[in-house]
Amino acid sequence: MNNTTIGWIGLGNMGNPMSQQLIKAGYAVTVYNRSKDKAATIQSLGAATANTPQQLLQQTDTVFIMVSNDAAIEDIFDGPTGLLAAGVKGKLIINMSTVSPAISKEMAAQCAAQGNVYLDAPVSGSVKQAQDAQLVIMVGGEKDAFEKAKPILDKLGKLTMHIGSTGAGNTAKLAINLLLGMHAQALAEALTFAQQHGVQAADFTAILNNSTLGNPFAKIKGEAILNNNYQAAFALKHIAKDLRLAKAEGFSTPLAATALQTYQQAEAAFGEEDIIAVIKQFAK
């Protein structure tokens, strides 16, 4: 058993398998999730539960957060029973959510004022990579805190990198997801064009996967299209959110602007489906 006690907030598609990796690694894990039913699986593996983020921080050494957006982060930190209400110091708080650099800088300052340390540590990878501990983790914040956190983060991914000061991890993740959005849209557009001109989808994906353009993302998402499987590994609404965050950071390039427009148009109809459901937008 590792001596560091872990708190985990957020048991969604990513948070659940990620927190399970830490239990498998021998850490004592306590979880908090707004929807109590989502904690059942990890409780069966030995995790304890806390009733509030405040209680979680009081009971553990290092708290991880994996939630969906800036608003959720504000609630977790600033709510009446949030992390900032805990009244403790000497804690390490690691936010693995894809959020804005601005919210990380704000929360890092508030944590520091109380004698705690904040790292932003978003991940590249989806559910399968979380289940296999093959995520890529990009970290912003104090280098000493990163070195302390790295042995734990290494249980979650295949690569853990310190990118720079607070918010740098968030910026790197937004850049990755900017490329992700473009890539998914490009795949959907190319496949749509091929089909419209008589090329079978299965033939096109076979050509693509055996070409120099082939890659794991194209293979996985091509198979999803062929199988008409749009269950969200990474929901389309999340890429729309991430592109909005990137725009707020000041992107002004043509592909980025086009991708944002496309995903925002698709979000109402297909937001709960996987990112590659963007292909349905072109069918419309």
Side-chain angles (χ1 to χ4, degrees):
M1 179 69 71
N2 289 287
N3 292 328
T4 300
T5 56
I6 302 292
W8 193 281
I9 298 175
L11 295 172
N13 287 345
M14 295 292 287
N16 207 316
M18 291 170 71
S19 56
Q20 289 182 36
Q21 294 293 348
L22 298 183
I23 293 176
K24 293 174 186 176
Y27 290 98
V29 176
T30 302
V31 301
Y32 166 77
N33 195 74
R34 286 180 297 182
S35 302
K36 303 302 180 186
D37 58 313
K38 289 188 176 181
T41 299
I42 197 162
Q43 279 181 281
S44 70
L45 298 175
T49 59
N51 293 322
T52 64
Q54 175 186 21
Q55 184 186 79
L56 186 74
L57 188 60
Q58 291 167 340
Q59 294 176 352
T60 58
D61 302 317
T62 299
V63 169
F64 288 83
I65 306 167
M66 189 56 149
V67 294
S68 58
N69 54 38
D70 283 26
I73 294 300
E74 289 178 344
D75 183 60
I76 287 163
F77 278 86
D78 293 331
T81 57
L83 295 173
L84 295 173
V88 293
K89 60 183 180 179
K91 308 288 187 173
L92 177 58
I93 299 170
I94 304 173
N95 186 1
M96 306 194 79
S97 316
T98 301
V99 293
S100 68
I103 198 76
S104 280
K105 292 173 183 177
E106 178 184 344
M107 296 311 164
Q110 294 191 63
C111 287
Q114 294 189 341
N116 299 309
V117 178
Y118 174 105
L119 294 174
D120 50 287
V123 305
S124 178
S126 194
V127 175
K128 183 67 165 64
Q129 289 74 37
Q131 293 169 339
D132 295 341
Q134 291 292 296
L135 297 167
V136 174
I137 305 169
M138 50 214 96
V139 184
E142 297 175 8
K143 187 65 179 292
D144 289 348
F146 167 77
E147 296 297 345
K148 179 181 177 182
K150 189 174 186 299
I152 309 174
L153 294 170
D154 284 343
K155 304 298 183 184
L156 301 172
K158 63 181 180 180
L159 177 66
T160 303
M161 293 184 64
H162 184 248
I163 304 300
S165 59
T166 300
N170 297 135
T171 300
K173 177 58 189 295
L174 292 180
I176 287 290
N177 276 17
L178 181 56
L179 181 59
L180 173 68
M182 294 175 183
H183 195 153
Q185 179 170 342
L187 174 61
E189 287 191 24
L191 181 51
T192 298
F193 173 80
Q195 289 181 295
Q196 287 174 342
H197 292 80
V199 178
Q200 295 297 312
D203 291 341
F204 176 79
T205 56
I207 293 166
L208 174 62
N209 293 334
N210 285 280
S211 76
T212 56
L213 294 173
N215 58 61
F217 179 82
K219 185 174 187 297
I220 291 167
K221 297 310 180 185
E223 288 176 353
I225 293 169
L226 292 178
N227 294 322
N228 198 33
N229 175 16
Y230 298 100
Q231 182 177 349
F234 180 65
L236 189 148
K237 65 180 181 182
H238 293 321
I239 195 65
K241 178 262 295 183
D242 294 346
L243 290 172
R244 285 191 287 269
L245 290 177
K247 182 179 181 181
E249 292 300 308
F251 76 59
S252 58
T253 50
L255 290 180
T258 299
L260 174 59
Q261 180 181 31
T262 298
Y263 287 105
Q264 288 196 144
Q265 289 171 345
E267 188 174 9
F270 312 116
E272 298 298 330
E273 298 183 62
D274 191 74
I275 182 174
I276 203 60
V278 69
I279 196 169
K280 297 182 181 181
Q281 181 69 17
F282 305 130
K284 290 173 64 179

